[in-house]
Amino acid sequence: MKFPSEESNPDEPEAGVSAVSRLFAVLRALGNGSADGERVSQLAAQVGLSQPTTHRLLRGLVSEGMVEQCLRTKRYRLSLAFFALAAKAGQAGNLRDVVRPSLLRLSASLGDSLFLLARAGFDAVCLDRSEGPYPIRTFTGDVGGRIALGVGQGSLAILAFLPDEERDEVIRYNLPRLRDVHAYDEVSLRMEIDAVRALGYAGRNTGALEGMAGVAVPVLNTEGHAVAALSVATITDRLAPSRMAMVVELLKREAKVVSGRINPFDPALRRPSQVFG
């Protein structure tokens, strides 16, 4: 990328600073900004550049695929390609690698099947599983299986701890899909979500899979929002109330460990948007 010489803008206070420094100043400002994106005027004020210069830098970054602009609000944010590139750095681990030891520890401690789910748009995807000795049936099935957010304990734990606006958007979109599995209307779904948020886990046995039971806890980022869920699936007799508290405690302990180790640049944790492109 080639940027105009700063000498052509002698009134700007950043004269003499290299184009690379200005470029990274904009990237850092975007990285520290809102997930909904930043306006050119906001970025210019943060990095001490004029709006025309900031806009030129942004357009160059957009052309390279490192930044994207919301078609509706005209705000800018770092792109998925940027996060994917950062995730390839030598020190960056992906979510599945980080969580794998927790899955194995939990499976050994509990003797049940453990699952890692992450959000993918309006769905939850199974990224990994550790098989227990009991024959089970699940909504997601094997690794790569996908279900609507709100179906099953793991995806319900994720849905309950999304940011308010995102949760509302998912509920509006998914409610017709959930009726195929659960007898949910919007009131009952929101009541269920409130209960999960109050308890810190999803563990109500809906009976949708006969003889099966599950419990899940969210994996939270530094803002307290869900990026994934750890879930146990087993036969109903093994999640009686007398055992539930211990299972939940172990899940929460491992989820806390994972939360402190997740890589924020992992593309699996990228918050989706329907309007950026």
Side-chain angles (χ1 to χ4, degrees):
M1 288 180 293
K2 183 177 179 181
F3 297 96
S5 171
E6 199 57 38
E7 294 178 359
S8 63
N9 298 284
D11 58 317
E12 294 182 351
E14 73 279 10
V17 180
S18 72
V20 172
S21 296
R22 298 196 301 274
L23 198 65
F24 276 91
V26 172
L27 288 172
R28 291 190 187 97
L30 287 170
N32 293 326
S34 167
D36 295 326
E38 300 288 329
R39 299 185 186 279
V40 174
S41 57
Q42 295 170 323
L43 289 169
Q46 290 178 49
V47 300
L49 297 171
S50 69
Q51 290 192 38
T53 295
T54 303
H55 188 258
R56 286 196 299 273
L57 293 170
L58 287 167
R59 296 317 302 168
L61 289 165
V62 168
S63 70
E64 294 293 330
M66 296 295 101
V67 169
E68 58 191 13
Q69 185 182 27
C70 177
L71 302 177
R72 177 173 56 83
T73 67
K74 306 304 181 184
R75 291 174 180 263
Y76 293 88
R77 73 175 187 183
L78 298 176
S79 69
L80 179 59
F82 177 90
F83 285 92
L85 181 64
K88 293 179 181 179
Q91 303 265 335
N94 64 58
L95 182 63
R96 185 175 181 179
D97 291 341
V98 170
V99 177
R100 186 65 181 171
S102 291
L103 287 186
L104 295 177
R105 281 194 297 268
L106 287 166
S107 186
S109 298
L110 297 173
D112 292 302
S113 296
L114 271 295
F115 297 82
L116 167 65
L117 285 84
R119 183 185 178 190
F122 295 105
D123 296 338
V125 174
C126 179
L127 294 185
D128 201 3
R129 65 185 288 171
S130 179
E131 200 73 40
Y134 297 93
I136 60 168
R137 291 172 294 130
T138 66
F139 290 111
T140 54
D142 207 344
V143 174
R146 179 184 292 253
I147 52 171
L149 284 171
V151 174
Q153 308 301 344
S155 74
L156 183 60
I158 295 173
L159 177 60
F161 285 88
L162 292 180
D164 292 345
E165 290 185 4
E166 292 183 28
R167 185 168 62 247
D168 289 343
E169 182 183 12
V170 171
I171 289 172
R172 286 193 298 270
Y173 183 86
N174 275 1
L175 194 58
R177 306 168 72 199
L178 301 184
R179 292 192 181 112
D180 293 336
V181 181
H182 298 297
Y184 277 141
D185 56 26
E186 184 170 355
V187 173
S188 61
L189 176 58
R190 289 186 180 276
M191 289 177 63
E192 187 82 1
I193 287 170
D194 288 344
V196 172
R197 291 180 62 83
L199 293 170
Y201 68 91
R204 186 171 72 86
N205 183 7
T206 63
L209 292 176
E210 185 177 355
M212 300 292 105
V215 60
V217 300
V219 175
L220 306 177
N221 62 17
T222 56
E223 298 175 338
H225 299 144
V227 296
L230 295 176
S231 177
V232 171
T234 187
I235 58 177
T236 303
D237 291 346
R238 289 182 58 77
L239 271 183
S242 58
R243 190 170 183 261
M244 177 73 82
M246 181 269 289
V247 174
V248 169
E249 179 61 29
L250 289 176
L251 284 172
K252 286 185 174 181
R253 184 187 307 170
E254 292 293 345
K256 186 175 182 180
V257 171
V258 171
S259 293
R261 295 177 179 173
I262 57 177
N263 168 25
F265 295 124
D266 187 345
L269 308 184
R270 188 72 166 95
R271 287 173 61 182
S273 172
Q274 302 303 312
V275 294
F276 277 83

